[in-house]
Amino acid sequence: MPNKTRLAVLIDADNASAAITEGLFEEIAKYGTASVKRMYGDWTSPNLGSWKKVMLDQSIQPIQQFAYTKGKNATDSALIIDAMDLLYTRRFDGFCLVSSDSDFTRLAARLREEGLVVYGFGEEKTPKPFVAACDKFIYTEILRADATPEQEAAPEKKPAAVRESEPQAEATHTKKAPKVPVQFIAKILDDISDEDGWAQLGALGTNIGKLRPEFDPRIYGFRKLSDLIKGQAAHFELQVKGASPTGGTVLYVRNRPQ
């Protein structure tokens, strides 16, 4: 059944890379339907040339905003004004703000005050206040690696026999994955578990997202939260207990007794 959640996608082209576009909209499709897709920038600038093809491919509406004064970003103001106009139409369930700029922190907070869900998309350098102001924040380095691996520097070719003998990497991006925050996860499990120490995996993911909107298993080299938990078998136990109303299995997790 398709997700009927209506989302407005607003992209700050000055603070986002065109290389993320395919992965970006694949990610957004997990949360709802991109009913509005707008991108803001000064399209007379050669710096935004890489966006022109993806605008056509993804049917994104470009919004022209001239840089009236050097050193001042008029694009941010145009995006914020449009966001508020769209908010007051009451036609949307959430917003996707694509930028690494902390100037959108208050906008994200204001949209959430109105009961709308805010998904943020930005680079890992995005200031913490903007990340925390969103319901969920996805680092675009993950999307770029998933969506456009051909744009990365091609590795030196090896003989076929050597390539076939090499194990396949499970991480979604090439740089070394950070350490999994085991203690953080363990503390949440302690807070939400039943008397036997078990908690639904879905509840764990929900509570993690409330405290750390930027948390994503892919950052640590795992596709899903269940894979991350399995990968930390020294700390956690994962079991299937019963079935969901839709027929799927229900996973439970607990801290492994020491």
Side-chain angles (χ1 to χ4, degrees):
M1 184 175 180
N3 192 333
K4 297 296 186 180
T5 302
R6 293 171 59 89
L7 301 173
V9 181
L10 307 180
I11 303 171
D12 176 10
D14 294 330
N15 279 283
S17 168
I20 71 168
T21 309
E22 183 176 348
L24 171 68
F25 284 101
E26 288 176 357
E27 186 74 16
I28 290 172
K30 298 177 183 178
Y31 310 117
T33 301
S35 301
V36 167
K37 295 185 283 187
R38 298 181 185 177
M39 186 159 46
Y40 302 78
D42 183 357
W43 303 108
T44 64
S45 170
N47 297 334
L48 301 184
S50 60
W51 278 108
K52 294 181 180 178
K53 181 180 185 303
V54 298
M55 278 193 297
L56 297 174
D57 293 343
Q58 297 291 339
S59 188
I60 307 172
Q61 179 184 2
I63 306 297
Q64 170 64 30
Q65 183 59 54
F66 291 104
Y68 298 118
T69 304
K70 187 175 180 180
K72 299 293 184 180
N73 194 345
T75 299
D76 293 359
S77 299
L79 190 155
I80 292 170
I81 291 170
D82 270 12
M84 298 308 294
D85 286 343
L86 292 170
L87 166 66
Y88 290 123
T89 66
R90 307 298 179 187
R91 292 188 292 113
F92 300 94
D93 304 297
F95 280 74
C96 299
L97 305 179
V98 186
S99 179
S100 302
D101 194 338
S102 63
D103 289 349
F104 298 112
T105 301
R106 180 57 187 142
L107 172 62
R110 181 68 182 88
L111 295 171
R112 291 181 68 187
E113 288 172 3
E114 291 292 323
L116 276 69
V117 179
V118 177
Y119 300 99
F121 297 82
E123 297 178 0
E124 292 180 3
K125 67 179 182 180
T126 305
K128 182 66 175 178
F130 181 34
V131 173
C134 300
D135 289 283
K136 183 172 179 60
F137 197 92
I138 298 94
Y139 289 129
T140 54
E141 284 85 353
I142 299 172
L143 307 180
R144 179 168 184 156
D146 285 345
T148 56
E150 71 279 3
Q151 294 189 10
E152 303 294 333
E156 181 181 356
K157 291 186 177 180
K158 299 180 181 180
V162 176
R163 293 198 301 270
E164 292 175 358
S165 65
E166 293 178 346
Q168 295 296 316
E170 293 185 359
T172 55
H173 48 102
T174 56
K175 74 175 186 178
K176 185 177 179 180
K179 186 177 179 181
V180 175
V182 170
Q183 293 183 346
F184 170 70
I185 297 173
K187 185 179 184 305
I188 293 178
L189 277 174
D190 283 338
D191 293 339
I192 67 172
S193 60
D194 60 20
E195 293 181 357
D196 295 324
W198 292 100
Q200 283 195 21
L201 184 67
L204 173 63
T206 298
N207 280 272
I208 289 175
K210 289 178 180 178
L211 295 173
R212 293 190 182 180
E214 76 278 14
F215 182 90
D216 194 310
R218 292 170 293 183
I219 296 174
Y220 307 100
F222 300 92
R223 290 181 59 250
K224 299 182 294 184
L225 181 58
S226 59
D227 295 331
L228 184 149
I229 295 297
K230 291 176 184 176
Q232 304 300 312
H235 304 281
F236 308 112
E237 292 182 63
L238 190 67
Q239 286 190 8
V240 176
K241 293 187 177 184
S244 68
T246 59
T249 57
V250 179
L251 294 175
Y252 282 77
V253 60
R254 74 173 179 179
N255 291 316
R256 185 174 291 280
Q258 300 300 317

